[in-house]
Amino acid sequence: MFKKVKLSFWQILNMNVGFFGIQYSFGLQQSAVTPIYDFLGASPDQIPILHLAGPVTGLLVQPIIGAISDKTWSPRFGRRKPFFLIGAILCSLTLLVFPYSSSLWMAAGLLWILDVGNNTAMEPYRALIADKLDDEQQPLGFQMQSFFTGLGQVLANLSLFIFPLIFIGTTGSLPTWVYASFFLGAFCSIASILWSVSKTKEIPPTDEELAKLRSEKRSVLGPLIEIFSAVKDMPKVMWQLALVYLFQWYALFCYWQNSSKSVALSVWNATPDDTEAYSEAVSWTGLVNGWYNVVTFLVAFALVGFAKKYSPKKVHAFCLLLAALGFLAFPHIEDKNLLLFAITGFGIGWASMMGIPYLMVVSEIPKERYGVYMGIINMMIVIPMILQTVSFGYILKTFLGNDPRNAITFAGVLLLISLVCTLMIQTKKKVATA
């Protein structure tokens, strides 16, 4: 059996550089796509359903790609790396085309394609950490992804703040700065993935594992059968994590869809109809979201030590508390500078969300199923998002007065419920202490 060797800090970093490009793209989805919908004439209650692409493609693509990658091996290209590359190429091409959206439904359609690319690359990256690193180094590996999540999204959000100051006016149906942000994202997506692919060698399967792979019959329904089988055999801790994710990810979608409009109302007393003021609010929200991602990559590695000392469960619960308090304060702030303080709590929470929950479950997952189970964890993320996209428009319009500020408060309450569910998780194994 091939023994995992200890990797240096820089080897782990190089392995995860590609996550930077993936997360730049996700940063644009979180902060730029809703304003693009607004510029193209969407009403507030239409926004949730227009974001249906992300969760649906995540639900379908990630577990299937995970199951396929578990059964894949190429002596030249490896097991996970081919999927990184295919996903990055699709993301880059879509990002190049996205700013040319001339209608609401064209933008929504391109978002579907963009999400297919992102999800094709995302899941194998999670599995690569479990493949390459032993129990002691896995916390660093997952939090390295959290670091690059913060860094990639910082650049995406800063582009929304800086580029409107440089690229003035409109091109076609959209402001010119949209083109600059998305073109930079296209470059980052492919360049960062190529860096990681060139710098990382995957662990080859043993002769026994290779013989098993070659002997297995392949079919179109094979990945789906494997997914259902894995769900049936899923460890109890993953079901518990699913409950945490139900409230956590529903809350996050509420924030991402409504943050710009909440800031526009609370600080500028403006709506998307007031194009100049709303553009200023979108720009400032980009800076605010950039800041929470700065916080994310600053604290990501510190959370590794805290997880080893206090347990991943306690660390994640505390980080959820900070995020919830930030959301509850956010819609009541009228001074735009104070928004940076409120969102700091979410930055710490986001650092935990991107890495710590995986530490609760990875030791209880069989290594030959890393890919499919990482895909199933993503299903736990996207199912709440699907529920949000089909239900929250009604909730916002009927119970929250179609006010995006109330949507942010609602998100804060959901994070508090997620915190309680986190404290109920029971794990069998502890994170290795260095």
Side-chain angles (χ1 to χ4, degrees), residues 112-268:
W112 281 81
I113 300 172
L114 181 61
D115 264 303
V116 169
N118 275 328
N119 282 292
T120 298
M122 174 75 78
E123 184 285 324
Y125 241 125
R126 299 291 192 194
L128 182 65
I129 297 300
D131 288 342
K132 289 276 290 180
L133 303 179
D134 61 17
D135 290 347
E136 186 178 321
Q137 290 196 309
Q138 281 175 359
L140 177 59
F142 283 120
Q143 286 309 111
M144 185 71 78
Q145 291 190 349
S146 181
F147 170 84
F148 279 115
T149 294
L151 189 61
Q153 295 190 15
V154 164
L155 182 59
N157 284 288
L158 284 181
S159 75
L160 303 189
F161 178 74
I162 296 171
F163 285 175
L165 305 177
I166 302 172
F167 302 99
I168 309 298
T170 60
T171 302
S173 304
L174 297 172
T176 304
W177 60 261
V178 172
Y179 292 78
S181 293
F182 278 73
F183 290 170
L184 179 58
F187 171 78
C188 290
S189 179
I190 191 65
S192 62
I193 287 288
L194 287 174
W195 179 274
S196 287
V197 167
S198 67
K199 297 288 184 179
T200 304
K201 291 183 178 180
E202 296 193 63
I203 298 175
T206 62
D207 292 340
E208 182 182 349
E209 291 169 338
L210 192 58
K212 185 178 179 182
L213 284 176
R214 290 172 174 170
S215 66
E216 291 179 347
K217 294 182 179 180
R218 304 298 174 93
S219 69
V220 174
L221 296 178
L224 294 176
I225 294 171
E226 174 62 18
I227 292 167
F228 285 116
S229 173
V231 170
K232 181 175 67 72
D233 299 334
M234 199 161 71
K236 181 180 178 181
V237 67
M238 288 185 64
W239 290 106
Q240 295 169 331
L241 183 63
L243 186 61
V244 174
Y245 275 7
L246 173 63
F247 298 102
Q248 174 182 297
W249 288 97
Y250 195 112
L252 297 195
F253 241 35
C254 291
Y255 171 78
W256 289 326
Q257 292 169 4
N258 292 278
S259 56
S260 292
K261 289 191 286 293
S262 175
V263 170
L265 284 169
S266 64
V267 178
W268 277 270

Side-chain angles (χ1 to χ4, degrees), residues 295-318:
V295 173
T296 292
F297 75 73
L298 289 176
V299 305
F301 296 129
L303 294 184
V304 175
F306 287 125
K308 290 180 177 180
K309 184 174 182 180
Y310 298 108
S311 83
K313 178 175 76 173
K314 292 179 181 177
V315 169
H316 190 58
F318 181 71

